[in-house]
Amino acid sequence: MSSARTPKEVLEYAKAHGTQMLDMRFSDLPGLWHHVSFPIAQLSEGSFEDGFGIDGSSLRGWAAIHESDMLLVPDPSTCMMDPFTQIPTLVMIGDVIDPITKQHYERDPRWIAKKAEKYLQYSGIGDTAYFGAEAEFFIFDNIRFDQTQNSGYYFIDAEEGRWNSGRVENNLGYRPRYKEGYFPVPPTDHYQDLRAEMVSTMLKCGLEIECHHHEVATGGQAEIDQKFDSLVKSADNMMLYKYIIRNVAAQHGKTVTFMPKPLFQDNGSGMHTHQSVWKNGAPLFAGDRYAGLSDVALWYIGGLLKHAPAIVALAAPTTNSFKRLVPGFEAPVNLAYSRRNRSAACRIPMYSASPKSKRVEFRPPDPSCNPYLAFAAMLMAGLDGVQNKIDPGEPLDKDIYDLSPEEMRGVPSLPASLDESLKALENDHAFLTRGDVFTEEVIETWIDYKMKNEVDAIRLRPHPYEFAMYYDI
């Protein structure tokens, strides 16, 4: 993103780049980026107050038809040139405003994230929450799927997929084995150049990238790590990150998915989310307690663990998410914390002894989530832990697979399905409504939307594997 911060600077930036079109971006409730374009002459300094009119009636989780008129007010700090359009196009993220009341629209996910930041400051605990999310994804060469009344199927293919090792034509070998795709050099890693192009495009668009690499699964699983930033900026950056990855892949005839579990019997894609709270430029999570943490950090962990069943309804929010979050497969389903155990929901990274690097990594989220809602929910849970001094209990430093059945019974775990997590959210959301960050209406809308359009939709359809198990019963 550019360094422009004022409307005047945006107009100068647009002129300097020969801009012909303005593209306004915004997120629906589930987390898909949408856009609407205008000739650049429509943009003036007054646009940053008056906004641009849109119809919000057909967006998932948004307004009914009778209240559908909305305004998109551009945020000048988000401006950049789109790296993919043929016509020079200026991109800005817009905040959604009710044209009658001139108030922020309560179902605008970005506004919810902004309110979470405001609540942090209001609480007096800190003034800045930093988030750094590690989103994983798959790069495929072909994907086919359909669901009809009498059929249901999907077919995935990737040149790099281990399943192609027996292919007769054009088979050159060098494909990661299942669960052995972590860090191999080319030619086993087929996508070094493609990921590097993604990173290069991200850097041009103003994102700060720390590293990229192949992930554990075969078939093109990858990870590109962004540098942490404040809550809203990190969520903005994640939306741009997804946009760039998908479009670079498309330019090479490939497709990317952030679906957490597309492949059977191989690793799924997570979005481990590092977070910390600061005040007056000083980190609050460093101390002399376990793993170099402070009491504030331990209480924050206590809040995350207490509310984790509800958080995952927003941070791992698909039926497919829970095909990744399965006990016994190194998934972070155990509601405990540890500096070493990666099956614990909260991990404390030990890469650096610097107080500034002290943070908590919450591991259950996946990249199918809306980052604005997920980050806001995590912060609110952590703040509830600090405000109520919630004890996270003893750390879980043993190998989870070495624990006895009696010991395992003492370690609570995440819900086993989206249905269960939505019930947890329904029963435990007072921590989210503090400061009116999440309204009751937003939470009710989320639960209703997910139950009707996802949970019930899956329940109603026969699964292909059910035919293998039951056809001859």
Side-chain angles (χ1 to χ4, degrees):
M1 296 179 184
S2 81
S3 59
R5 289 293 180 269
T6 67
K8 183 178 180 181
E9 289 173 339
V10 171
L11 294 173
E12 292 171 349
Y13 177 81
K15 183 178 180 180
H17 287 80
T19 303
Q20 297 181 37
M21 299 296 292
L22 166 67
D23 201 55
M24 293 292 301
R25 306 276 172 89
F26 56 99
S27 168
D28 66 10
L29 201 60
L32 188 66
W33 232 9
H34 295 260
H35 77 136
V36 57
S37 299
F38 308 89
I40 194 62
Q42 297 293 312
L43 181 66
S44 67
E45 288 194 46
S47 304
F48 293 85
E49 291 186 8
D50 300 334
F52 298 89
I54 62 166
D55 178 0
S57 64
S58 297
L59 294 166
R60 298 179 302 170
W62 271 32
I65 291 176
H66 69 278
E67 55 181 16
S68 61
D69 289 341
M70 302 285 175
L71 292 175
L72 271 181
V73 177
D75 181 342
S77 70
T78 64
C79 83
M80 67 167 206
M81 297 303 296
D82 193 302
F84 303 108
T85 54
Q86 293 182 2
I87 303 298
T89 300
L90 179 75
V91 174
M92 281 189 285
I93 297 174
D95 291 311
V96 185
I97 304 295
D98 186 303
I100 298 175
T101 66
K102 300 299 183 182
Q103 299 297 309
H104 285 271
Y105 182 48
E106 292 296 345
R107 296 191 201 179
D108 176 11
R110 194 169 190 255
W111 173 233
I112 293 170
K114 284 188 171 185
K115 287 191 290 182
E117 288 189 322
K118 292 176 184 291
Y119 181 74
L120 168 62
Q121 296 165 359
Y122 171 79
S123 73
I125 294 170
D127 50 40
T128 308
Y130 288 114
F131 280 76
E134 301 171 342
E136 299 167 347
F137 54 93
F138 279 89
I139 303 167
F140 295 142
D141 289 282
N142 191 274
I143 174 72
R144 293 187 290 126
F145 52 87
D146 201 3
Q147 175 75 56
T148 68
Q149 284 77 6
N150 69 320
S151 69
Y153 64 86
Y154 67 88
F155 293 96
I156 296 171
D157 202 9
E159 168 60 31
E160 193 196 72
R162 185 69 178 182
W163 57 85
N164 276 319
S165 61
R167 193 176 70 194
V168 175
E169 296 180 352
N170 304 316
N171 187 356
L172 302 178
Y174 297 111
R175 293 182 174 89
R177 299 175 186 87
Y178 298 106
K179 297 182 178 292
E180 293 186 23
Y182 209 49
F183 292 1
V185 297
T188 303
D189 177 0
H190 284 51
Y191 300 120
Q192 169 70 17
D193 287 340
L194 183 60
R195 292 195 311 270
E197 184 176 335
M198 292 171 177
V199 169
S200 177
T201 306
M202 290 177 186
L203 294 173
K204 290 176 183 176
C205 291
L207 298 180
E208 292 190 63
I209 304 301
E210 295 182 334
C211 70
H212 72 89
H213 57 84
H214 202 288
E215 258 298 337
V216 174
T218 191
Q221 192 183 35
E223 180 177 317
I224 299 174
D225 291 342
Q226 302 182 65
K227 186 177 180 180
F228 66 89
D229 211 324
S230 58
L231 190 155
V232 173
K233 288 181 181 177
S234 282
D236 286 344
N237 291 345
M238 184 56 68
M239 301 302 285
L240 177 58
Y241 170 100
K242 288 185 174 183
Y243 176 73
I244 291 171
I245 286 173
R246 289 181 175 128
N247 278 278
V248 170
Q251 288 181 331
H252 289 266
K254 300 183 187 298
T255 180
V256 159
T257 183
F258 292 94
M259 182 177 174
K261 187 69 172 178
L263 297 181
F264 173 54
Q265 288 190 327
D266 211 335
N267 283 43
S269 294
M271 191 183 77
H272 303 153
T273 304
H274 298 251
Q275 48 207 283
S276 63
V277 176
W278 291 49
K279 187 173 185 178
N280 298 325
L284 300 183
F285 278 15
D288 58 3
R289 301 291 300 277
Y290 173 81
L293 296 177
S294 65
D295 283 328
V296 170
L298 288 170
W299 294 330
Y300 190 99
I301 291 171
L304 286 174
L305 296 178
K306 176 182 178 180
H307 299 298
I311 295 172
V312 292
L314 295 158
T318 67
T319 58
N320 186 254
S321 299
F322 292 86
K323 291 178 170 59
R324 166 184 169 255
L325 296 173
V326 177
F329 292 90
E330 300 181 16
V333 298
N334 299 295
L335 297 183
Y337 67 103
S338 176
R339 59 187 161 194
R340 297 190 182 278
N341 196 325
R342 291 175 183 265
S343 68
C346 289
R347 190 177 76 91
I348 298 89
M350 302 299 292
Y351 303 119
S352 171
S354 169
K356 291 183 177 181
S357 69
K358 193 55 64 178
R359 61 197 186 274
V360 173
E361 176 190 7
F362 191 57
R363 296 174 65 82
D366 68 57
S368 70
C369 73
N370 184 327
Y372 297 108
L373 302 182
F375 295 169
M378 286 181 253
L379 176 61
M380 295 302 289
L383 293 180
D384 182 62
V386 176
Q387 289 165 328
N388 292 288
K389 298 184 178 180
I390 297 175
D391 183 357
E394 293 299 314
L396 182 66
D397 283 337
K398 289 184 178 180
D399 187 330
I400 195 74
Y401 305 110
D402 290 339
L403 296 181
S404 66
E406 292 76 18
E407 290 175 307
M408 277 302 300
R409 278 194 286 270
V411 181
S413 61
L414 287 172
S417 67
L418 178 59
D419 186 6
E420 290 182 20
S421 71
L422 290 168
K423 288 177 182 175
L425 177 61
E426 186 175 26
N427 295 327
D428 175 28
H429 62 255
F431 70 100
L432 294 173
T433 59
R434 294 204 180 104
D436 210 32
V437 173
F438 286 79
T439 65
E440 290 282 354
E441 194 258 355
V442 164
I443 292 171
E444 182 180 339
T445 298
W446 180 267
I447 293 172
D448 289 348
Y449 177 88
K450 287 285 177 176
M451 286 298 298
K452 177 182 177 181
N453 295 285
E454 300 181 28
V455 173
D456 289 345
I458 290 293
R459 281 176 175 164
L460 289 168
R461 288 164 169 82
H463 189 286
Y465 195 60
E466 289 178 316
F467 287 84
M469 293 191 294
Y470 305 131
Y471 189 77
D472 60 352
I473 197 167

